[in-house]
Amino acid sequence: QLQQPDVSQLEMDDHAAQIQDRCQLSRKIYTDTRAMEGLMRDLQSHTFQQGVMTDTIEANMSGTRENMAGVAREVSATNVAQWQAAKLIYFLLVLAGILAVIIVMVTVRKHAH
């Protein structure tokens, strides 16, 4: 006849407590894992949104560069036009000065005779 070892109530309670602790630990791990999964989803969403924002910023910067190139061309064209207008004004002033000198000389000659 086989004798079964005598398991005391204390050992059974200890074993039950260990099992209960392991169950609580398993539940905690499960809960933490689910929370981590939610955090990872949030991180993924934020990362995606930041990528979209970065793409938008880059597109805006590209457009700004193109606009600045257009502005630079316009400023250059305006400078050329202003310089040409200034040259014309200087020419007209010189011509007016020459005409004034001629008129003065003609007037002086008429009064001298």
Side-chain angles (χ1 to χ4, degrees), residues 4-5 33 37 65:
Q4 297 220 347
T33 302
E37 181 182 347
R65 276 194 293 275

Side-chain angles (χ1 to χ4, degrees), residues 6-26:
D6 195 13
V7 178
S8 71
Q9 186 63 35
L10 183 60
E11 289 174 334
M12 287 177 63
D13 290 344
D14 186 47
H15 186 67
Q18 288 176 1
I19 291 173
Q20 190 175 14
D21 287 345
R22 286 185 185 146
C23 286
Q24 286 177 348
L25 181 60
S26 293

